[in-house]
Amino acid sequence: MTKRPARKTVPTFRSEAEERTFWETHDTSLFVEWGKARVAVFPNLKPSTETISLRLPAALLAELKALANKRDVPYQSLLKVFLAERIDRETHGVNSPSTRSPQPRKGRRRMRKPTADRARLRG
């Protein structure tokens, strides 16, 4: 039977930056018994947000507000949804031009070779 090394105590850190540097260079298995770990759920945790200033053409902002009004949502929330969808599409390639299958062209008819009867009528 192999003997497990004793768990080390987690040091105290003066700042988050110091703690981040420590965990980037040390193995957590020496400090934490991962076999006893449990899944944690944080239902009230909200992602951090940052305020920005964004200049949009007045017509574009009016259209965004009209779309938001139809959906009965705030226009800033709708803008976040649109941005998130587009960023997801750009980063994961969903429906990007390179992954989309080529669409058949409509309205084009194939030319048939003239039969012997048609060739006689023409000529």
Side-chain angles (χ1 to χ4, degrees):
M1 191 184 283
T2 60
K3 191 174 183 183
R4 287 188 175 175
R7 299 274 175 229
K8 295 181 179 181
T9 58
V10 177
T12 54
F13 304 102
R14 286 176 270 166
S15 67
E16 279 190 40
E18 184 182 341
E19 182 177 3
R20 191 176 306 112
T21 304
F22 177 83
W23 290 119
E24 286 174 353
T25 58
H26 290 78
D27 183 13
T28 59
S29 64
L30 300 174
F31 298 90
V32 180
E33 177 110 24
W34 288 112
K36 295 181 181 178
R38 295 178 300 177
V39 175
V41 178
F42 303 101
N44 298 325
L45 187 64
K46 294 181 180 178
S48 59
T49 59
E50 191 171 330
T51 302
I52 63 165
S53 175
L54 180 65
R55 297 185 189 283
L56 297 173
L60 181 61
L61 183 58
E63 287 184 60
L64 178 66
K65 287 181 177 181
L67 284 172
N69 190 29
K70 284 181 187 176
R71 298 177 186 203
D72 199 27
V73 296
Y75 77 94
Q76 290 177 336
S77 299
L78 184 60
L79 181 60
K80 286 184 223 176
V81 169
F82 287 165
L83 282 171
E85 287 174 354
R86 182 56 189 244
I87 289 170
D88 187 51
R89 192 171 10 162
E90 291 289 327
T91 56
H92 296 102
V94 178
N95 290 329
S96 66
S98 61
T99 59
R100 217 180 307 146
S101 62
Q103 297 294 320
R105 293 183 181 170
K106 294 180 181 175
R108 273 193 156 177
R109 294 192 318 179
R110 286 180 50 195
M111 298 288 290
R112 290 189 290 181
K113 292 183 180 178
T115 62
D117 294 334
R118 284 193 210 143
R120 257 188 297 133
L121 291 174
R122 286 190 185 165

